[in-house]
Amino acid sequence: MFDIAVSLSPTKTKFGPLLFAGNLDEGLKNAKDLGYKGIELSLLDSKNIDQKWLLARLEKLNLKVFAIATGQSYINDGYSLFDAEESNRLNAVERLKGHIDIASKLGSMVIIGGVRGKLTESADNRELEKAKGKMALRECLKYAEERNVILLIEPINRYETNLINTLQEGIELIEELGFYNLKLLPDTFHMNIEEKSIEESLIKAKRYMKYIHFADSNRRAPGFGHTNFESIISTLVKINYKNAIGLEVFPEPDDYLAAKQAIYYLRFLDSKISK
Ligand code: LER
Ligand code: MN
């Protein structure tokens, strides 16, 4: 069985697919009770989290933070790595460095998802914006490399960004930048929109994947939509995927029931597949 994590946030946020947002302690307790190995922690600004408290809670509950999610800086404050405005790029880099510092203490990876932002629609400045964004990303990669932290590029569907929608585009960026600590985070919700075949794309991405987000076709917990998770899990087994699965789902019908549905359904599929 894979290690399974659930995405939590200490604060309420406009980003919907998080559970127990605004009540981290309740999220941690429920994650433990339901049998999760750990969590993904979605943070706005690392300065605001009481690290001592967090480390003590994680130790007491024996939970791991597999990854730090960083998109709130873009959604709440408009800071992004590929923003046309220099100040927004600098603020995004500063926030990410704070996340990397916490990640190095927790042994977590840091996600470059929504925080990369998007390019402005006019064709003229695109190449320049791309180059500046890559410079900002390189600065984060170097900072992370010095602290032994892996950054994860997450392909995101076209309705949210015009920068890296498919796994193949993520792989091309990884190859181009050439940092050993830049890896890939596929998300089944985005893949359902962008990939020709979820299974084929996962097979091709095998070498690069260090983490994966699971959400059903409607972004609810697996089993509440029409994505074929039996086939996806079989593919992960086939490619010998050994890393964690992070549940990033809407709190529907509520936080607890979504968390419960997700892990129970994945366990059921796993036992079916291993028979
Ligand atoms: C974050 O993990 C994600 O999937 C994106 O939708 C964020 O914009
Ligand atoms: Mn995701």
Side-chain angles (χ1 to χ4, degrees):
M1 182 67 183
F2 295 99
D3 286 344
I4 303 181
V6 60
S7 292
L8 307 177
S9 167
T11 47
K12 288 218 175 289
T13 158
K14 288 181 214 156
F15 184 60
L18 294 168
L19 300 184
F20 305 101
N23 196 342
L24 184 56
D25 202 33
E26 197 189 338
L28 289 168
K29 277 190 228 139
N30 280 304
K32 182 68 193 174
D33 289 349
L34 288 167
Y36 284 91
K37 276 275 163 59
I39 64 159
E40 178 181 314
L41 192 57
S42 174
L43 294 178
L44 173 63
D45 187 337
S46 295
K47 286 191 196 114
N48 300 337
I49 182 120
D50 181 343
Q51 295 192 32
K52 237 170 131 185
W53 173 85
L54 178 64
L55 282 164
R57 292 306 286 149
L58 291 168
E59 196 177 338
K60 172 121 200 288
L61 296 169
N62 191 23
L63 289 171
K64 183 177 160 57
V65 177
F66 287 94
I68 310 263
T70 61
Q72 289 191 41
S73 285
Y74 180 57
I75 295 180
N76 290 33
D77 299 326
Y79 301 159
S80 76
L81 292 175
F82 284 78
D83 200 281
E85 286 285 329
E86 186 180 20
S87 62
N88 287 334
R89 293 198 302 277
L90 291 175
N91 281 323
V93 170
E94 194 188 318
R95 287 274 173 90
L96 282 165
K97 285 182 177 173
H99 299 320
I100 291 164
D101 287 337
I102 290 207
S104 75
K105 286 185 200 145
L106 298 173
S108 321
M109 298 176 282
V110 173
I111 301 174
I112 308 292
V115 77
R116 67 179 170 282
K118 52 181 116 160
L119 302 172
T120 44
E121 287 305 327
S122 71
D124 319 351
N125 295 328
R126 281 224 167 170
E127 288 315 307
L128 189 62
E129 272 180 30
K130 260 193 210 167
K132 286 182 179 169
K134 281 177 195 166
M135 255 169 65
L137 179 53
R138 276 199 193 92
E139 187 176 337
C140 297
L141 282 161
K142 204 161 169 297
Y143 190 85
E145 189 176 43
E146 288 157 3
R147 286 156 185 80
N148 264 320
V149 173
I150 289 177
L151 302 192
L152 297 162
I153 186 76
E154 178 180 18
I156 290 176
N157 79 73
R158 68 189 68 192
Y159 304 106
E160 288 186 49
T161 185
N162 50 14
L163 262 169
I164 307 164
N165 304 125
T166 62
L167 298 202
Q168 183 53 34
E169 287 164 348
I171 292 170
E172 282 163 17
L173 180 77
I174 292 170
E175 298 279 327
E176 181 193 334
L177 296 182
F179 278 82
Y180 89 94
N181 64 326
L182 182 59
K183 302 288 181 198
L184 192 69
L185 160 53
D187 179 322
T188 60
F189 171 73
H190 302 301
M191 292 182 80
N192 180 54
I193 297 169
E194 296 293 345
E195 306 292 333
K196 207 163 126 196
S197 154
I198 293 183
E199 292 78 1
E200 287 303 314
S201 298
L202 289 174
I203 292 167
K204 284 192 193 138
K206 171 183 161 172
R207 287 200 295 127
Y208 303 89
M209 282 169 58
K210 277 283 178 204
Y211 188 43
I212 186 166
H213 277 164
F214 271 17
D216 216 318
S217 49
N218 46 13
R219 224 167 194 183
R220 298 183 71 190
F224 282 161
H226 55 75
T227 295
N228 186 346
F229 283 99
E230 188 173 345
S231 168
I232 292 173
I233 294 173
S234 300
T235 305
L236 293 180
V237 171
K238 188 167 131 191
I239 64 175
N240 207 20
Y241 177 77
K242 293 283 182 220
N243 302 296
I245 295 172
L247 273 313
E248 185 183 52
V249 299
F250 287 135
E252 292 170 7
D254 62 36
D255 299 86
Y256 180 78
L257 289 175
K260 185 174 174 184
Q261 159 73 14
I263 195 160
Y264 277 47
Y265 187 62
L266 295 188
R267 279 204 190 123
F268 159 74
L269 291 180
D270 187 69
S271 61
K272 201 170 156 199
I273 289 163
S274 351
K275 260 187 206 151

